[in-house]
Amino acid sequence: MSAPHVNDTPITPELVAEHGLTPDEYEMIVAHMGRAPNFTELGVFSVMWSEHCSYKSSRKWLKKLPVDGPQVIQGPGENAGVIDIGDGDAAIFKMESHNHPSFIEPYQGAATGVGGIMRDVFTMGARPVANLNALRFGQPDHKKTCHLVAGVVSGIGGYGNCIGVPTVGGEVNFDASYNGNILVNAMCVGLARTDKIFYAAATGVGSPVVYVGSKTGRDGIHGATMASAEFDDASDEKRPTVQVGDPFTEKLLLEACQELMSSDAIIGIQDMGAAGLTSSSVEMADKGNVGIRLDLDKVPCRETHMSGYEMLLSESQERMLMVLQPGREDEAAEIFHRWGLDFAVVGELTDTNRMVVVHEGEIIADMPLKPLADGAPEYDRPHTATPALPALDAQALTHPLDLGESLLRLMGGSEMASRRWIWEQYDSMVMGDTLVGPGGDAALVRVHGTNKALALTTDVTPRYCLADPVMGGQQAVAEAYRNISATGATPLAITNCLNFGNPERPEIMGQFVGCLDGMGAACRALDFPVVSGNVSLYNETNGRGIMPTPAIGGVGVLDDLTKAVGSAFANAGMSVYVIGETHGALGCSLYARDVLAIDTPAAPPPVDLERERAHGDFVRAQIGAGHISCAHDVSDGGLLCALAEMCLPQKIGCAVEISGDHGFWFGEDQGRYLVAIAPDARAAFEKAAAEAHVHIAQIGLTGGAELTITDAMTISLDEIAKAHENWFPKLMGF
């Protein structure tokens, strides 16, 4: 007697719920199918209709983001976004989350997050040239934090270093809201020629569907569904849903794809990411308005007796699906076999607009494509706006520490301490085109063989987003804009990774809606459109959600890299100016939280988008004119911390010639930059500021080995550096 077929499994309400589908969603599936789905078809619908793949809670709001501009070649909807950076060159980039897998298995979760985002980029014809990341962990003293930090950092470094792509920037924050749900957001940027960009759409009835890369195993099955659900105390039991990566295979896959892409053999190409073979085949066929027939008996497998359900839902890494020009199979096979990779023709395109799957000679799934691709419900979930908070009255506060003690506490605290321990584990110089790596406002990477450079950054301040989602969303985009502008580069476009809690809770959905409203307003005001991104919801454990964390990845271009400036003081005798007005806004500031220990919610500093635009334009113009020798945006910790950050890299001090209270020095007013001006450029700089109606104030002079404020503070750079550099190694036990 033969073993029962997996499709003989009865479809019960319990089984539907286990697949992450509601009863109403199941009834919609039945209506689309015209019958009840079998077990395999239920699995396919469950992953395609998961939050991770369908964006069913967020699509309504994502449509409101600006996605167009003269620089945009491809906006959201493809594997990655594409922008024109001039001279026939394109930058291709995206950011994605790998949060749940990284909490369960930090090394493999982070490593496969890096591998997946690189495939999204090189699938489109680009050669990856830079990786960045945005990481959030729980309280530093939480029992899991050090384990998670060590595993995630090792995973990111292990994958990126092995494949030979530099990790050039990122950010790391700690907060109790991430204790049970860390965030690992990975960003990759690649370069391609504008006439050699590849897309996913599969066209040409009868064209062969080709599988390339690694073999399929059982790792990662239901990864997309797991990523669309909350955690609870049993989260460790989900370890089998975490994928396992192999960077050496990915390197081979990259080179083989690049070689085949130099020909005209490829019609369409798609990474097998979330939902694996299912999502790649559905998305390619749907975008080409064709059908697809897959023969799973042809799929290379590394495990025996895999069911069709397992093959379709596996998220094994380092795999691609391609549609080739008919007759080019042998040519492509030779390339992939020469690189030591699997190659198999696993299907063909049809004219049915259906997905038909054959296994062991039987049809195990026969589904209409449109409902799979975009038939998931689009929810307009109830949302409540975050109540407005009062501003914090800086004049009414009592300050327990003097300026110097406060500075040391902030510079040596969890949020502002040096991340050198992390980024020294990443190879930031491989490929030889990194001009500025981790530690500055934005990384700079040369466009190989040219005099141009890309400026890259990741930014968001979650505590602002929690207090005022609209203002926090604006600030995240504005800070990315400032960080790029501070190098002299022109900000061109952003990607995002929108990390939030359970959207079924109105207050969480309100955070999402508010943050997107703010982001959209900032992107429009700054001509900084969104070209790609990712939404990660249900980031909570036992009902406690993370702080809203809409991470922004910004990309800009510097047409003449010789005009780039850094963020550190390079010479003594330079005049230091602050651009933008300082009002001493302490609401949501690190000073209020970490020095004053204020836990009463207050409004974050307001963002003036018109001023942000004017100040960014002014800074870039002055850098281009050669008047500014270094520039640094003012953000966390305010003016005094920004000054300290400019002093430390070259150990060049600053004598501050103006006085101010704690609010003045530690307030986090937005839209500000600190710049250093040579004596012979001061007159031209001040004249340009007056003509542009930009507020500037000279505050000091560089030189010496101390940071001093007249009659208020004198502190050696060595003392600041000790506090700044020692916190992270001490946390990690070094």
Side-chain angles (χ1 to χ4, degrees):
M1 184 176 180
S2 62
H5 194 283
V6 67
N7 278 350
D8 294 334
T9 304
I11 307 301
T12 64
E14 292 76 17
L15 187 65
V16 170
E18 286 175 14
H19 281 74
L21 295 164
T22 68
D24 287 345
E25 289 171 344
Y26 178 72
E27 291 305 318
M28 291 176 63
I29 292 169
V30 171
H32 283 306
M33 294 280 290
R35 59 174 172 81
N38 63 36
F39 183 71
T40 300
E41 292 164 341
L42 180 70
V44 169
F45 266 102
S46 77
V47 292
M48 292 307 298
W49 282 22
S50 68
E51 195 75 62
H52 192 74
C53 292
S54 73
Y55 299 109
K56 57 192 175 187
S57 295
S58 57
R59 285 205 309 269
K60 170 183 171 66
W61 304 102
L62 295 173
K63 294 173 185 176
K64 297 187 176 184
L65 293 174
V67 297
D68 298 315
Q71 71 274 45
V72 177
I73 295 174
Q74 175 64 55
E78 274 287 341
N79 286 290
V82 187
I83 58 172
D84 191 332
I85 59 171
D87 306 308
D89 294 317
I92 300 179
F93 59 98
K94 190 180 183 182
M95 181 188 284
E96 279 203 343
S97 61
H98 230 223
N99 304 334
H100 285 37
S102 298
F103 182 77
I104 297 169
E105 211 321 299
Y107 184 94
Q108 290 296 347
T112 52
V114 172
I117 197 63
M118 283 198 281
R119 287 195 303 280
D120 280 341
V121 167
F122 74 72
T123 293
M124 298 197 68
R127 179 168 289 277
V129 297
N131 288 328
L132 298 91
N133 52 70
L135 312 177
R136 265 83 197 179
F137 298 99
Q139 291 168 290
D141 58 356
H142 187 271
K143 62 182 180 180
K144 285 191 174 182
T145 294
C146 288
H147 163 72
L148 292 168
V149 170
V152 166
V153 171
S154 295
I156 291 171
Y159 208 103
N161 295 355
C162 287
I163 200 171
V165 176
T167 300
V168 299
E171 55 179 348
V172 182
N173 294 122
F174 296 87
D175 186 82
S177 72
Y178 307 111
N179 281 347
N181 199 128
I182 64 173
L183 302 184
V184 176
N185 296 170
M187 178 178 173
C188 182
V189 184
L191 291 168
R193 298 295 291 174
T194 56
D195 60 353
K196 291 294 286 184
I197 296 169
F198 290 79
Y199 298 94
T203 58
V205 171
S207 297
V209 177
V210 173
Y211 172 118
V212 300
S214 291
K215 288 179 168 62
T216 294
R218 290 187 171 94
D219 50 321
I221 293 174
H222 276 301
T225 307
M226 180 268 289
S228 306
E230 296 180 32
F231 277 159
D232 54 29
D233 291 329
S235 60
D236 283 349
E237 296 174 7
K238 298 179 180 178
R239 193 176 302 275
T241 63
V242 178
Q243 310 93 328
V244 177
D246 180 355
F248 299 104
T249 299
E250 178 126 335
K251 174 64 173 174
L252 299 176
L253 183 60
L254 164 62
E255 298 302 338
C257 286
Q258 292 272 315
E259 183 174 343
L260 186 59
M261 285 169 169
S262 66
S263 73
D264 61 353
I266 298 174
I267 295 174
I269 179 170
Q270 177 82 30
D271 166 42
M272 289 194 219
L277 185 57
T278 290
S279 63
S280 55
S281 56
V282 168
E283 290 170 10
M284 292 181 75
D286 178 68
K287 287 175 180 176
N289 197 31
V290 293
I292 190 167
R293 181 182 177 92
L294 296 176
D295 184 349
L296 299 185
D297 296 330
K298 306 287 182 61
V299 171
C301 293
R302 65 169 182 264
E303 299 186 45
T304 58
H305 306 300
M306 289 187 69
S307 69
Y309 177 98
E310 291 173 322
M311 285 189 231
L312 287 170
L313 271 59
S314 168
E315 294 185 8
S316 295
Q317 298 292 287
E318 293 88 40
R319 302 179 300 159
M320 296 279 194
L321 200 67
M322 296 180 179
V323 173
L324 299 181
Q325 298 282 0
R328 307 295 290 275
E329 298 93 326
D330 289 346
E331 172 190 344
E334 188 279 327
I335 291 173
F336 283 92
H337 288 153
R338 178 159 35 83
W339 284 99
L341 299 166
D342 279 288
F343 176 98
V345 178
V346 297
E348 64 178 2
L349 300 184
T350 68
D351 61 0
T352 64
N353 290 110
R354 299 182 71 82
M355 179 183 185
V356 176
V357 183
V358 176
H359 186 222
E360 296 178 345
E362 296 182 12
I363 293 176
I364 62 169
D366 186 349
M367 298 163 286
L369 274 167
K370 287 297 179 184
L372 283 172
D374 53 30
E378 180 180 301
Y379 292 126
D380 184 2
R381 296 198 184 276
H383 57 277
T384 56
T386 300
L389 295 171
L392 188 64
D393 184 0
Q395 301 304 316
L397 300 173
T398 300
H399 305 281
L401 304 178
D402 64 27
L403 289 177
E405 293 169 328
S406 299
L407 176 64
L408 289 175
R409 178 167 295 186
L410 291 173
M411 293 295 289
S414 64
E415 295 305 284
M416 297 207 65
S418 170
R419 273 45 178 160
R420 184 185 305 275
W421 183 90
I422 290 180
W423 50 258
E424 283 190 340
Q425 297 183 55
Y426 305 150
D427 189 338
S428 61
M429 302 304 293
V430 65
M431 298 182 77
D433 282 318
T434 303
L435 304 173
V436 176
D441 282 334
L444 288 177
V445 177
R446 183 198 308 267
V447 177
H448 191 73
T450 76
N451 203 41
K452 297 184 298 187
L454 296 175
L456 313 170
T457 185
T458 60
D459 295 286
V460 67
T461 308
R463 62 185 186 275
Y464 291 179
C465 297
L466 179 65
D468 184 336
V470 175
M471 203 61 69
Q474 289 187 16
Q475 192 272 342
V477 174
E479 187 172 354
Y481 181 86
R482 286 198 304 271
N483 279 331
I484 292 170
S485 294
T487 69
T490 301
L492 291 180
I494 69 168
T495 183
N496 58 46
C497 199
L498 308 175
N499 308 274
F500 291 81
N502 185 344
E504 296 169 48
R505 292 201 282 144
E507 68 275 18
I508 300 298
M509 197 65 212
Q511 293 173 352
F512 185 88
V513 172
C515 282
L516 262 70
D517 282 346
M519 289 168 50
C523 289
R524 282 185 285 271
L526 302 175
D527 287 337
F528 207 22
V530 182
V531 297
S532 60
N534 171 242
V535 178
S536 176
L537 302 177
Y538 296 96
N539 288 290
E540 53 184 81
T541 301
N542 293 327
R544 181 176 183 185
I546 63 165
M547 286 197 290
T549 311
I552 302 297
V555 175
V557 68
L558 189 64
D559 290 328
D560 182 355
L561 59 82
T562 65
K563 294 186 176 181
V565 299
S567 61
F569 294 141
N571 301 103
M574 310 291 280
S575 295
V576 180
Y577 289 78
V578 59
I579 296 171
E581 297 184 33
T582 299
H583 302 287
L586 287 175
C588 287
S589 68
L590 288 182
Y591 177 81
R593 191 191 75 179
D594 295 348
V595 177
L596 302 183
I598 293 175
D599 56 10
T600 304
V607 177
D608 183 332
L609 294 172
E610 184 177 345
R611 288 287 87 196
E612 289 281 2
R613 178 68 179 264
H615 293 175
D617 289 347
F618 174 72
V619 166
R620 294 193 304 276
Q622 292 304 295
I623 291 173
H627 297 154
I628 292 176
S629 65
C630 70
H632 185 30
D633 88 303
V634 181
S635 53
D636 284 348
L639 274 175
L640 194 53
C641 289
L643 272 172
E645 289 173 331
M646 298 179 82
C647 291
L648 288 180
Q650 302 296 328
K651 291 293 181 69
I652 296 175
C654 182
V656 176
E657 301 160 352
I658 64 171
S659 60
D661 60 14
H662 286 69
F664 179 86
W665 287 114
F666 297 114
E668 296 179 4
D669 304 277
Q670 297 296 294
R672 295 180 298 164
Y673 300 77
L674 280 169
V675 297
I677 310 295
D680 60 358
R682 283 183 55 189
F685 174 76
E686 291 178 355
K687 181 175 182 289
E691 292 173 348
H693 305 290
V694 169
H695 183 278
I696 62 171
Q698 184 183 358
I699 63 171
L701 196 68
T702 63
E706 297 171 327
L707 178 54
T708 65
I709 298 176
T710 303
D711 300 328
M713 184 195 83
T714 297
I715 187 167
S716 74
L717 299 185
D718 286 341
E719 189 175 0
I720 301 172
K722 182 179 178 181
H724 189 54
E725 295 288 346
N726 287 353
W727 183 87
F728 224 108
K730 183 178 179 181
L731 172 71
M732 302 305 296
F734 288 87

